[in-house]
Amino acid sequence: MTRKRVAVLFNHVGEDEYEKLKQVDESKLDFEPEYEIAVATVQEEYDAIVTALKAEGFDAFPYNLEERIDRLHALAAERPDAVVNLVEHFHDDPDHESAVAAYLDLCQIPYTGAPPFTLTLCRRKGLAKQLLRASAVPTPRYLLLWEPRVPKRHGLRYPMIIKPAREDASAGVDQESVVDDFRQLGEQVERAFESFGPPILVEEFIDGRELHVAVLGNDPPIVLPMVEYDFTGLSEGRRRIISYAVKWDPLQEDYHRVHSVCPAELSRRAHDRVAEVALHAYRILECRDYARLDVRLDSQNRPHVLEVNPNPDLTEGVSFMESAETGGYSFATTLRMLVEMALGRTVAPYVPPEPAGPAEG
């Protein structure tokens, strides 16, 4: 049987920031790192996916768009059997993430992950939260600001957290993002507008346990073992949040002081409640194949959905894949399952009808 040809599609240009970490002298850091400083580079992560898919029997190859539309046209002309869609932006604009998926739809090339509507909706955090609330999915109360002015009677309770409303991967989230009074709120909103522009999300901060809930599949989707983040290693006074530094910057101490625990130690009642909410949110926002939901538990162990993340990071051992591996699905097996879901949506390429000949008579 002919092996299915699978393109691992990504979009990267310029310098790889993680390549620089290989030159870092750890002895010059002002803290003791717990994890490796030299994490995998962008290219190494994509190559690992290609290697795993080859081990699963696919004719897989990496394909970098390099911010070039002609590269996208060339891929469509090549017509791979499926695409592992890892594109998060195009022309340096994250709003164009959905456009790449839409182009693949128009070319009738099946791809992994969310469709364009879901990619667009989940990037608009205010709109996604509005839909979740209307569908009885618990999510923290919020304001969406289009100008850097906060009404004194805003109706929210402190503490609050301020985030850019159209970014992901914790961009713009740091220790100063959580505020305790109106003065701090105004200052942080100003800062967020200066860095990211409108809209800005102001949300009640749930100071409790944080979970990453991975969902896999479609008919039906399943909840994988949940990841909980242990903040007890943070220095005194540090906010218990998954900031950008915690996620992505091994040169920051917080990166080494927050640890993941999988599976999360939850009572059966709490686990089932979180799973029910996560699956409901997954379906409401029309996620497909896989997603990761960020959930906080309040003091009553009630779950609150912070965000729904379609097409989450597929790096081995990180969050989504940590859940999959704990659930008994290896890195390669999980990738194969995602490709098989995409292949299940294969349709015959559209062939336009032959033009009608001249009418007789």
Side-chain angles (χ1 to χ4, degrees):
M1 187 174 72
T2 304
R3 294 198 304 168
K4 297 293 186 182
R5 190 154 168 76
V6 177
V8 176
L9 180 65
F10 61 99
N11 184 36
H12 182 74
V13 293
E15 194 171 26
D16 187 334
E17 292 296 318
Y18 292 118
E19 189 70 45
K20 298 178 184 177
L21 296 177
K22 295 180 179 179
Q23 313 304 321
V24 171
D25 183 352
E26 294 186 15
S27 67
K28 294 184 178 179
L29 297 175
D30 58 3
F31 62 89
E32 186 70 28
E34 184 163 338
Y35 301 117
E36 286 189 20
I37 296 294
V39 298
T41 65
V42 171
Q43 189 61 55
E44 287 169 344
E45 290 180 355
Y46 296 140
D47 287 345
I49 292 174
V50 170
T51 299
L53 287 172
K54 285 181 176 179
E56 290 294 313
F58 295 106
D59 180 11
F61 61 98
Y63 196 91
N64 186 358
L65 291 181
E66 300 173 355
E67 296 279 31
R68 291 167 46 191
I69 192 68
D70 63 303
R71 294 274 296 165
L72 193 54
H73 296 329
L75 179 66
E78 190 173 332
R79 296 206 64 81
D81 294 297
V83 167
V84 176
N85 182 20
L86 304 179
V87 175
E88 298 179 347
H89 57 82
F90 195 73
H91 290 164
D92 202 30
D93 186 345
D95 282 343
H96 290 163
E97 174 188 26
S98 61
V100 174
Y103 181 91
L104 294 173
D105 275 337
L106 290 174
C107 295
Q108 297 183 307
I109 298 174
Y111 56 90
T112 59
F117 170 78
T118 301
L119 294 173
T120 299
L121 176 60
C122 291
R123 187 168 290 281
R124 283 155 173 75
K125 293 182 173 64
L127 185 58
K129 284 171 68 70
Q130 184 177 350
L131 186 55
L132 292 176
R133 286 178 68 86
S135 304
V137 175
T139 185
R141 296 193 304 160
Y142 69 99
L143 287 174
L144 199 62
L145 300 179
W146 294 89
E147 56 184 9
R149 183 174 58 84
V150 184
K152 284 202 171 182
R153 295 189 177 185
H154 46 66
L156 302 182
R157 291 169 294 194
Y158 294 101
M160 301 176 202
I161 185 166
I162 292 85
K163 314 172 187 176
R166 291 191 179 173
E167 298 289 333
D168 60 6
S170 291
V173 177
D174 57 27
Q175 285 291 312
E176 286 69 45
S177 296
V178 180
V179 301
D180 296 303
D181 56 41
F182 189 75
R183 178 188 61 79
Q184 293 177 357
L185 173 60
E187 291 174 354
Q188 187 59 28
V189 165
E190 286 274 2
R191 179 167 167 251
F193 268 91
E194 287 175 4
S195 299
F196 296 96
I200 296 298
L201 185 70
V202 178
E203 182 180 76
E204 290 185 351
F205 178 62
I206 308 297
D207 192 6
R209 301 171 70 179
E210 177 144 346
L211 307 172
H212 279 183
V213 185
V215 179
L216 176 66
N218 302 304
D219 191 26
I222 61 171
V223 173
L224 299 173
M226 300 174 191
V227 173
E228 179 172 6
Y229 284 89
D230 178 5
F231 298 102
T232 56
L234 288 175
S235 303
E236 186 176 353
R238 302 293 283 176
R239 300 285 191 177
R240 296 156 53 91
I241 59 173
I242 304 296
S243 64
Y244 185 86
V246 167
K247 267 190 177 178
W248 305 112
D249 193 349
L251 298 180
Q252 298 296 317
E253 184 173 3
D254 284 359
Y255 177 93
H256 301 269
R257 302 297 176 255
V258 177
H259 311 294
S260 63
V261 178
C262 187
E265 295 183 6
L266 299 171
S267 68
R268 172 54 58 185
R269 177 184 173 88
H271 175 277
D272 290 350
R273 197 170 186 179
V274 172
E276 181 182 11
V277 165
L279 288 172
H280 189 31
Y282 184 88
R283 292 184 174 106
I284 288 297
L285 299 187
E286 298 189 13
C287 295
R288 189 174 71 185
D289 297 351
Y290 69 119
R292 191 199 74 238
L293 293 88
D294 301 346
V295 176
R296 282 236 169 188
L297 301 180
D298 65 18
S299 59
Q300 307 298 315
N301 260 356
R302 294 173 302 199
H304 300 261
V305 175
L306 306 182
E307 291 186 20
V308 177
N309 301 280
N311 296 12
D313 186 2
L314 291 177
T315 301
E316 186 172 9
V318 174
S319 197
F320 182 87
M321 280 297 181
E322 182 178 5
S323 290
E325 290 160 358
T326 302
Y329 303 99
S330 71
F331 178 59
T333 298
T334 306
L335 293 171
R336 172 176 56 77
M337 292 171 68
L338 294 176
V339 170
E340 287 174 346
M341 291 177 210
L343 289 169
R345 295 187 287 269
T346 301
V347 295
Y350 174 73
V351 178
E354 292 290 333
E360 296 182 2

